[in-house]
Amino acid sequence: MSLKNDSFPSSVAFDAINSSLQSDDAERKSAIKSGQAIFAFVLTNTQGETDSWYIDLKDKGEVAKGEAPEGGKADVTLSLSDDDFGKLVAGKTQAQRLFMSGKLKVKGNVMKATKMEPILKKAQVGTKAKL
């Protein structure tokens, strides 16, 4: 099942991240060991609509729609525009730069948010051709 939402062009990155996590058991275990959190992403598109996805690096090592797994809660929620998320996963900007300029809002454990960048880098290979 695709995680892509046509109203959010950068959402193809969630498929790439999930594919990366599911394709290699050792990679998934490594990502869970380093992440130890559930990361929620709330994206806003150019029409002002929002949608959310989460990356579970606490238990399962998977990506899905919504703000957290059923019965769970995100450790950190990152809110940004679809365009900025696309730039972030494409390696055209850095999370720290977006945060400092007010384009990335972080709720929850900010220190956990710093563990997300290496996971997003894994998606760069899979999304560069698609974005």
Side-chain angles (χ1 to χ4, degrees):
M1 180 176 92
S2 176
L3 299 168
K4 182 179 183 237
N5 178 335
D6 290 332
S7 299
F8 296 81
S10 70
S11 65
V12 297
F14 293 109
D15 280 325
I17 294 166
N18 197 41
S19 176
S20 173
L21 289 170
Q22 301 309 315
S23 66
D24 185 340
D25 198 44
E27 278 287 325
R28 183 171 62 253
K29 287 177 181 174
S30 171
I32 291 170
K33 186 176 180 183
S34 66
Q36 287 296 298
I38 296 171
F39 301 90
F41 290 84
V42 178
L43 303 183
T44 305
N45 67 11
T46 54
Q47 289 81 38
E49 301 167 328
T50 61
D51 204 353
S52 47
W53 294 261
Y54 68 86
I55 302 173
D56 178 354
L57 295 181
K58 191 177 254 183
D59 298 312
K60 297 181 181 174
E62 67 179 10
V63 184
K65 297 270 292 168
E67 290 193 32
E70 193 172 319
K73 181 178 177 243
D75 294 286
V76 61
T77 301
L78 302 121
S79 302
L80 66 164
S81 74
D82 179 64
D83 185 52
D84 286 331
F85 181 70
K87 290 175 185 172
L88 186 63
V89 295
K92 294 179 181 170
T93 191
Q94 296 174 321
Q96 186 177 5
R97 186 172 289 143
L98 291 173
F99 180 77
M100 296 303 244
S101 66
K103 293 180 177 181
L104 169 64
K105 307 265 190 283
V106 180
K107 287 183 195 165
N109 190 331
V110 177
M111 292 312 293
K112 293 278 186 188
T114 63
K115 307 225 180 214
M116 194 64 240
E117 201 134 16
I119 304 304
L120 295 178
K121 287 190 188 316
K122 290 178 197 260
Q124 287 178 13
V125 177
T127 57
K128 279 189 179 175
K130 295 175 186 171
L131 289 178

